[in-house]
Amino acid sequence: MTAPSRQKTLYAIFGNPINHSISPVIHNAALKNAKINGIYAAFKTETAQDAVKMIKELDIAGASITIPHKTDIIKYIDKIGETAKEIGAVNTVINENGLLFGTNTDAGGAIKALLQHTEIENKNIAILGAGGAARAVIYGVNFKKGKVTLLNRTVDKGEKLAKEFNVNFMPLSEINSEIKKHKFEIIINTTSLGMKGCEDQSPIKKESLNKDIIVMDIIYNPLKTKLLKYAEEKGCKTINGVSMLVYQAALQFELFVGIQAPIDIMKKAAEAALPAS
Ligand code: ATR
């Protein structure tokens, strides 16, 4: 007896934990809208190696890779793109007839989210945080020739990252006093301050903000972080975390299926799946 052939092309996200991921909601909305006979599933995997094994065994056509596998997966895939190599993280894997190609759409997603509201070139941009997400954001903003100052709580970690990407560094504790002095035009939070579980924390005091600053938070749960609430109250233009999340997913979708992503559909699906605050 021959095995039944699969009706749908399979796409998936791999991470741990994964049960709160809204990537399936975003990607399935896009697949449905584009009338593609595919389905996007979520798999919890303990290791990056397990994820690679599953991609190959289940013949998954395209995969999103999330925390904690974005760096580890590099050793198990066959090819890696230049952007992913420089960021040091893969968030997208394309299965090219059994050969796995890793790339990164986080940097592109961050840039697209920003470019909806502002130019980047020559802008004074403060990036808060020095974790994995910060690496992609710094890479993207550097690529678009923004003038980056990186601020982080742990000084040696921040200094190391700033050196690697050739940007300025300042301790995060100085952000409130330094905003005016450095004339930051854009502030991007990549720290976990304000995330579900610590919703009432903000890396910046309300009184330190002014209406000329564009404030972006990459946290998407809650949609409106304390920082974004402060920014709104001060009259700042704000960009919430759904923007970067959706644009990085849209870039993945385009790599997976080769057609333009239905951004508005993906954004609506994401917003409907998230609590407002
Ligand atoms: P991700 O991969 O999502 O970027 P991460 O690598 O754990 O997550 O990085 C989290 C970032 O949030 C770090 O910059 C961290 O600062 P430290 O390097 O000092 O740890 C920052 N962060 C987390 N909790 C924080 C807090 N209470 N105050 C300030 N920064 C915090």
Side-chain angles (χ1 to χ4, degrees), residues 35-227:
K35 298 193 170 53
I36 287 163
N37 190 20
I39 189 151
Y40 182 107
F43 294 111
K44 177 179 164 191
T45 39
E46 294 296 328
T47 67
Q49 199 172 12
D50 289 345
V52 164
K53 217 170 142 203
M54 278 185 79
I55 294 171
K56 292 193 168 173
E57 279 175 7
L58 296 177
D59 193 25
I60 290 169
S64 310
I65 308 299
T66 190
I67 291 164
H69 305 321
K70 287 187 186 188
T71 302
D72 274 0
I73 200 147
I74 294 172
K75 12 184 215 296
Y76 304 110
I77 54 179
D78 302 297
K79 265 194 302 177
I80 176 170
E82 213 36 56
T83 304
K85 199 187 277 175
E86 287 198 31
I87 296 170
V90 160
N91 81 328
T92 309
V93 170
I94 312 294
N95 186 346
E96 296 170 344
N97 300 316
L99 278 187
L100 303 190
F101 171 69
T103 184
N104 190 307
T105 65
D106 285 330
I111 292 172
K112 282 201 164 196
L114 271 172
L115 287 175
Q116 302 305 307
H117 301 271
T118 174
E119 287 180 1
I120 298 173
E121 189 166 347
N122 284 326
K123 297 278 185 192
N124 253 331
I125 304 178
I127 298 178
L128 318 184
R135 294 183 70 89
V137 175
I138 297 169
Y139 175 87
V141 172
N142 256 354
F143 181 77
K144 286 288 177 190
K145 302 190 172 62
K147 292 188 277 179
V148 175
T149 300
L150 168 65
L151 298 102
N152 197 49
R153 173 182 61 178
T154 307
V155 169
D156 50 353
K157 187 171 153 195
E159 278 178 339
K160 196 164 163 246
L161 186 61
K163 204 167 162 203
E164 185 183 336
F165 284 95
N166 199 21
V167 299
N168 299 323
F169 175 77
M170 239 174 247
L172 183 60
S173 54
E174 291 174 18
I175 183 70
N176 292 293
S177 55
E178 294 291 327
I179 286 181
K180 271 207 187 94
K181 242 187 268 172
H182 282 268
K183 298 195 173 65
F184 289 130
E185 297 163 284
I186 303 170
I187 297 174
I188 307 171
N189 178 44
T190 78
T191 76
S192 41
L193 285 172
M195 211 175 258
K196 194 164 183 260
C198 52
E199 293 97 326
D200 39 339
Q201 295 182 13
S202 165
I204 303 176
K205 289 183 187 154
K206 182 174 161 184
E207 55 270 29
S208 308
L209 297 167
N210 68 69
K211 69 170 179 39
D212 297 325
I213 304 171
I214 296 173
V215 180
M216 170 163 155
D217 203 324
I218 72 160
I219 293 170
Y220 54 83
N221 190 5
L223 260 179
K224 201 182 282 182
T225 58
K226 185 110 178 178
L227 172 64

Side-chain angles (χ1 to χ4, degrees), residues 7-35:
Q7 297 296 307
K8 287 182 188 289
T9 306
L10 186 55
Y11 305 94
I13 181 163
F14 294 91
N16 185 15
I18 203 67
N19 51 339
H20 292 300
S21 171
I22 62 163
S23 291
V25 170
I26 300 173
H27 278 274
N28 283 318
L31 289 168
K32 190 173 169 201
N33 179 266
K35 298 193 170 53

